[in-house]
Amino acid sequence: MSAPFATVAIVGLGLIGSSIARAMRQSLADTTILGYDRNPEVCARARALGLCDAYHDAFGPELADAQLVILCVPVGAMADAAAAMAPHLHSNAIISDVGSCKASVLAALRSALPHATIVPAHPVAGTENSGPEAGFATLFKGRWCILTPEASGDAAAAERVAAFWQALGAEVETMDAAHHDLVLAVTSHLPHLIAYTIVGTASDLEGVTQSEVIKYSAGGFRDFTRIAASDPVMWRDVFLHNKDAVLEMLQRFSEDLSALQRAIRWDKGDELEALFTRTRTIRRSIIEQGQDDARPDFGRDHD
Ligand code: NAP
């Protein structure tokens, strides 16, 4: 199969941007990669890693060579980045992104680029690490990439973007941006909010020392600390840009938490057990579908 694009520009060379570049080097070796990051120091680090074919800390006429431009910057930076690149884009270029929420990003891109072909995307894959060194070529393998094209959008352009992600090893699903935001609010955004809360609460506890929190963290806390170590700027933007869906899910979560609180207070063991049995089957389904590791202790190396 021929490559879906001859030249691709990646804007933002952090975890996701650098992972795309690495995966392209493996699977789309003939595609030219133009790398952009506003931070010249990040460009220098990406150059040292050999991620792209060219590096720029500002947009210029060379951007017109790109048939696909993928914005890999924090969600709150998408509008400014799109406005800055607008004068240099080829009129046939397809604009995409990897933002963790889609409705607000689509609105921002549409407003900055009223006549462009836009195919928003969200690879549902990541880690708690940031920067060009944090990326790896297999990040998207076997993971979902959700496309949220406009209803009136260019179907052929969406197919080319889908082919691009499939070439990087991802499975592609298409849905409406608002639906994406609701689904991700419960599967990703709320869990991050809970992790940030639990780790914050534990670190504020009087009567339990910091050293005890760290020493006995294997009791469950440790897994929350991994999520709570995620990039503060990226997650600040996700909550501010997916406000409605997150608040809706938070409301439901608070109600369910109150029900659990009541079950504990009134010794309703059967209610607790029924819930915990139901949640265990969800974990099993995730493993069966290859979305996590079934090895003991999440596959941690104990050598
Ligand atoms: P990251 O590692 O922090 O990388 C973001 C890069 O974008 C940084 O190099 C940053 O430069 C640069 N940047 C920030 N504002 C910019 C601007 N206005 N113009 C150009 N470059 C700019 O973040 P990431 O984890 O790759 O996240 C990037 C996007 O992917 C976000 O939209 C996020 O929602 C989405 N996403 C993340 C994950 C995940 O797990 N991390 C998963 C799926 C999707 P500075 O160093 O100067 O700030």
Side-chain angles (χ1 to χ4, degrees):
M1 192 188 76
S2 63
F5 302 98
T7 301
V8 171
I10 300 175
V11 181
L13 298 171
L15 168 71
I16 301 295
S18 75
S19 294
I20 294 174
R22 285 178 169 95
M24 288 179 67
R25 288 285 197 225
Q26 283 195 357
S27 312
L28 297 168
D30 293 338
T31 304
T32 301
I33 309 174
L34 305 179
Y36 292 84
D37 200 288
R38 63 167 182 185
N39 187 340
E41 199 238 328
V42 171
C43 286
R45 282 156 54 198
R47 185 189 294 276
L49 292 164
L51 295 177
C52 308
D53 296 298
Y55 305 86
H56 304 274
D57 56 26
F59 299 111
E62 75 294 328
L63 185 63
D65 292 340
Q67 296 158 351
L68 172 68
V69 181
I70 312 176
L71 288 157
C72 304
V73 299
V75 168
M78 296 278 181
D80 284 352
M85 68 194 199
H88 307 289
L89 288 169
H90 193 284
S91 58
N92 291 335
I94 296 174
I95 315 304
S96 190
D97 74 295
V98 294
S100 303
C101 36
K102 304 278 29 126
S104 74
V105 170
L106 178 55
L109 297 185
R110 186 45 77 214
S111 149
L113 306 166
H115 307 297
T117 303
I118 299 174
V119 182
H122 176 204
V124 187
T127 73
E128 67 279 20
N129 302 317
S130 311
E133 293 80 9
F136 51 101
T138 54
L139 179 62
F140 311 111
K141 258 206 168 79
R143 300 279 169 255
W144 288 101
C145 180
I146 302 174
L147 305 189
T148 61
E150 293 158 297
S152 57
D154 179 340
E159 270 171 36
R160 281 177 80 190
V161 174
F164 173 81
W165 281 103
Q166 281 157 350
L168 304 192
E171 310 232 22
V172 174
E173 183 83 62
T174 298
M175 65 176 78
D176 167 71
H179 186 67
H180 165 280
D181 289 354
L182 200 64
V183 172
L184 270 292
V186 72
T187 57
S188 169
H189 308 169
L190 192 59
H192 276 81
L193 200 67
I194 294 167
Y196 282 126
T197 314
I198 289 181
V199 176
T201 303
S203 74
D204 289 346
L205 272 186
E206 289 169 21
V208 178
T209 64
Q210 285 280 351
S211 64
E212 282 174 315
V213 168
I214 292 163
K215 187 170 165 186
Y216 301 117
S217 64
F221 183 72
R222 183 183 59 186
D223 295 318
F224 285 105
T225 61
R226 185 188 64 73
I227 299 178
S230 300
D231 190 72
V233 171
M234 172 192 151
W235 283 96
R236 175 202 66 193
D237 284 1
V238 168
F239 292 119
L240 297 180
H241 288 259
N242 197 20
K243 191 184 271 189
D244 292 344
V246 169
L247 290 177
E248 162 73 21
M249 288 304 154
L250 199 53
Q251 177 62 33
R252 285 182 181 228
F253 176 74
S254 307
E255 288 165 14
D256 291 345
L257 200 57
S258 298
L260 271 183
Q261 198 176 4
R262 217 172 28 248
I264 295 170
R265 188 182 304 287
W266 300 109
D267 295 318
K268 303 264 189 201
D270 50 342
E271 278 181 32
L272 296 176
E273 197 180 328
L275 174 69
F276 302 162
T277 305
R278 194 152 57 85
T279 56
R280 186 179 241 195
T281 61
I282 302 252
R283 170 79 196 153
R284 287 191 180 134
S285 310
I286 289 169
I287 291 163
E288 272 161 29
Q289 290 189 24
Q291 295 298 310
D292 204 356
D293 200 318
R295 286 174 295 163
D297 208 8
F298 301 95
R300 280 198 182 85
D301 191 355
H302 294 285
D303 293 340

